[in-house]
Amino acid sequence: MEVVITTAGRAAQLAADVIARAITRNARAVLGVATGSTPLGVYTELGRRVSAGELSLREARAFALDEYVGLPAGDPRSYRQVIADEFVAQVDIEPDAVLAPDGAAHDLVAACADYERRIAEAGGVDVQLLGIGSDGHIAFNEPGSSLASRTRVKTLTDQTRRDNARFFDDDLAAVPWHCVTQGLGTIMEARHIVLLAFGEAKAEALHQLVEGAVSARWPATVLQHHPHVTVLCDEAAASRLELADYYRETFANKPVWQSL
Ligand code: GLP
């Protein structure tokens, strides 16, 4: 796991560099896209590069991580819609090439299995963007999630519902209790995982992810078992890292031939 302590702006550029390299290698690369406020700078940077003619996602495909259960199609708070507004609208990817789990399906279990099948048929995810919840969740894999889990229905914790109430006019009662989410086992199959974390509220979760014991108590710790994870964080999120100086030295002295 590589930890890069930098600014949010530089982190967005580095994450966009990783995606651009994947597209250079294969124009049909499969991207894993995340919601939340953290990855927004990456989408803005990708949009800038597309507008400048430096990058094209025309042939790329993308899969979202998760979705609330019970929001009507087109609801502006639904993650499908957030991805459409914040990612798809800024770049030149084909809207039909971007899939999200179906939280409005009549048969949620079948919809989850179908989503897994679609990811596999696409050849798996090449670059997965991730944020992290303050309780250590990735996607919506809350504490207690099986480290081998696949796409399924989960119940949100009180902490996550409170954290996300800001997207529901601070009305906690309006935040759904359930979601469908790629499992930890699903996410672990992505070839390169780029996790972004900004702000003091993420400091403990980031410390656990990088330096804690692997445990379902802090689901993001499963990433310690992944061979290619890049953590891009700011100083505030890094404030509880015990080996922060070592991560800084490592990045400052990175061999020039070695990319993220
Ligand atoms: C939600 C999403 C996660 C995201 C988290 C953090 O719970 N399901 O994928 O990482 O929020 O959001 P933010 O980036 O806004 O802090």
Side-chain angles (χ1 to χ4, degrees):
M1 184 178 295
E2 180 169 26
V3 179
V4 181
I5 304 170
T6 182
T7 62
R10 182 77 188 118
Q13 287 173 356
L14 291 171
D17 288 348
V18 171
I19 290 172
R21 261 199 316 276
I23 296 291
T24 303
R25 274 196 300 270
N26 172 17
R28 285 179 49 72
V30 178
L31 308 178
V33 287
T35 52
S37 35
T38 307
L40 294 181
V42 183
Y43 303 145
T44 303
E45 176 61 14
L46 290 173
R48 191 196 63 72
R49 293 183 191 195
V50 169
S51 301
E54 300 165 16
L55 171 72
S56 176
L57 302 183
R58 209 173 305 121
E59 294 180 51
R61 294 150 304 154
F63 288 90
L65 284 167
D66 46 10
E67 180 59 285
Y68 290 111
V69 167
L71 295 182
D75 187 299
R77 286 98 36 115
S78 84
Y79 281 176
R80 182 188 296 264
Q81 195 57 43
V82 170
I83 292 293
D85 295 343
E86 306 289 356
F87 171 63
V88 180
Q90 298 208 63
V91 294
D92 58 348
I93 198 167
E94 286 293 334
D96 290 348
V98 183
L99 299 184
D102 186 357
H106 179 64
D107 184 344
L108 286 170
V109 174
C112 290
D114 184 58
Y115 200 59
E116 288 276 338
R117 196 164 44 245
R118 299 280 200 117
I119 296 171
E121 281 169 4
V125 172
D126 291 301
V127 179
Q128 175 67 60
L129 288 180
L130 287 181
I132 186 168
S134 59
D135 65 359
H137 72 243
I138 50 175
F140 267 142
N141 292 280
E142 297 284 29
S145 290
S146 159
L147 301 184
S149 49
R150 312 301 306 190
T151 302
R152 69 212 183 291
V153 177
K154 283 293 286 181
T155 304
L156 300 174
T157 61
D158 186 54
Q159 174 76 54
T160 298
R161 292 184 65 249
R162 286 181 190 282
D163 285 350
N164 290 359
R166 67 189 193 280
F167 298 112
F168 293 81
D169 297 326
D170 288 322
D171 178 7
L172 185 58
V175 184
W177 282 99
H178 296 107
C179 62
V180 278
T181 179
Q182 286 188 34
L184 295 171
T186 318
I187 294 167
M188 286 289 284
E189 286 173 2
R191 294 177 187 91
H192 185 182
I193 294 176
V194 179
L195 183 144
L196 301 114
F198 308 131
E200 220 278 321
K202 305 297 174 70
E204 181 60 20
L206 198 67
H207 162 58
Q208 294 291 339
L209 153 64
V210 179
E211 298 169 334
V214 175
S215 159
R217 174 66 186 82
W218 292 93
T221 58
V222 72
L223 298 177
Q224 292 178 26
H225 283 295
H226 192 285
H228 196 182
V229 174
T230 305
V231 172
L232 304 172
C233 61
D234 66 3
E235 293 285 346
S239 58
R240 288 192 209 166
L241 293 178
E242 291 168 5
L243 301 183
D245 287 343
Y246 172 62
Y247 310 139
R248 284 194 189 91
E249 279 162 27
T250 305
F251 188 62
N253 296 294
K254 201 173 162 75
V256 279
W257 53 264
Q258 197 182 46
S259 54
L260 286 178

